[in-house]
Amino acid sequence: MTGITKDMMIGELVNAQPDVVPVLLEAGMHCLGCPASQMETLEEAALVHGIDIDALMTAIEQA
């Protein structure tokens, strides 16, 4: 999946590339539909959930 960056809003990412949802769920981001996800970047969400952003970006790229 190209074009995905750490500073993308979760809501923007899910709307633009819904095929990334299983990767995010597997990583532990189970709040993809919550209001906060619409205003949080991928990097911010990773930090909140204790997820290594670099590992997450690798998993997204491999999906």
Side-chain angles (χ1 to χ4, degrees), residues 2-62:
T2 61
I4 298 174
T5 63
K6 296 176 186 179
D7 62 341
M8 289 183 79
M9 296 290 176
I10 296 290
E12 173 189 10
L13 174 59
V14 168
N15 287 331
Q17 298 195 24
D19 50 335
V20 77
V21 169
V23 177
L24 298 177
L25 291 174
E26 188 173 315
M29 289 187 186
H30 299 113
C31 62
L32 299 178
C34 75
S37 73
Q38 302 302 309
M39 302 300 292
E40 245 179 358
T41 66
L42 188 54
E43 188 167 29
E44 290 168 339
L47 179 65
V48 167
H49 291 285
I51 299 167
D52 180 303
I53 187 61
D54 295 320
L56 180 60
M57 294 303 292
T58 299
I60 289 170
E61 287 298 320
Q62 291 176 349

